[in-house]
Amino acid sequence: GDGGDGGDGGRGGATLPAQENLKDLNNRRKLRNVAMAGVRGSAMRVKSKLRTLIRDNSFRLADVEVVHQAFYRVNPSGTVSREEFEAVMRQLGLDGLPHGRLYELFDVNNDNNVDYKEFCSGLSHLWGCDESSLRFCFQIYDVDGSGEISLAELEKVLR
């Protein structure tokens, strides 16, 4: 018979347009699943980093979110200059602190930029109540690192 199907009933030989569409749809579905897995993996890595920051730096999740938004709003690259640092501090309501000296202390690797991890680490010292936090606060005023705070150092920081 002449059923108009090419004589093979749709089996073997040439691929029908519907089969091509199904293959294309299946390939797109696989690509979408791979992309979604990558997005989920990325989100999980970010959440893991946030959990590490919370655990290591005495932050609550709400604190981390506020700090993260303020920091990346000022500079999405993940590092801030001295001027940008001051803008982030102002956004967080930390206006009355000696930003210049804090910038020097937060910039642990001395590259003249403060990255997000350095920023969170520095903030944790300001927010903490343990011995390392007290030592950090002392270092704000002990500019020369002598272990003592002179009147000149105090004036310099408070200016």
Side-chain angles (χ1 to χ4, degrees):
D2 187 17
D5 62 0
D8 64 4
R11 296 178 300 274
T15 306
L16 298 175
Q19 287 175 315
E20 285 298 321
N21 288 341
L22 286 174
K23 284 182 183 178
D24 186 45
L25 182 63
N26 191 37
N27 287 338
R28 279 193 255 164
R29 184 186 56 79
K30 287 178 183 177
L31 180 62
R32 188 188 80 231
N33 287 343
V34 168
M36 291 304 293
V39 168
R40 281 191 297 273
S42 178
M44 289 178 69
R45 284 189 296 279
V46 168
K47 286 180 183 178
S48 174
K49 288 179 184 178
L50 289 176
R51 279 193 209 99
T52 300
L53 285 171
I54 293 167
R55 184 176 55 252
D56 293 347
N57 295 311
S58 319
F59 285 135
R60 296 172 312 170
L61 182 58
D63 298 330
V64 172
E65 290 172 357
V66 168
V67 169
H68 185 271
Q69 288 175 358
F71 190 90
Y72 283 94
R73 188 178 309 126
V74 169
N75 191 334
S77 76
T79 61
V80 292
S81 67
R82 184 177 295 266
E83 295 77 24
E84 292 168 332
F85 177 86
E86 292 176 9
V88 174
M89 295 296 273
R90 282 191 302 275
Q91 281 189 28
L92 294 173
L94 302 172
D95 295 352
L97 299 175
H99 294 156
R101 181 66 181 139
L102 288 173
Y103 183 82
E104 293 169 4
L105 291 172
F106 281 33
D107 184 17
V108 176
N109 63 2
N110 297 313
D111 67 350
N112 293 317
N113 284 299
V114 172
D115 65 33
Y116 183 64
K117 185 174 182 177
E118 288 173 320
F119 190 79
C120 289
S121 179
L123 280 182
S124 73
H125 290 299
L126 292 177
W127 289 353
C129 296
D130 58 1
E131 186 176 331
S132 72
S133 296
L134 294 174
R135 191 174 298 117
F136 182 83
C137 289
F138 183 83
Q139 289 174 335
I140 293 171
Y141 299 95
D142 183 20
V143 176
D144 65 6
S146 67
E148 297 178 358
I149 299 172
S150 70
L151 183 58
E153 288 174 312
L154 189 59
E155 287 174 345
K156 180 180 179 181
V157 172
L158 293 177
R159 262 188 261 151

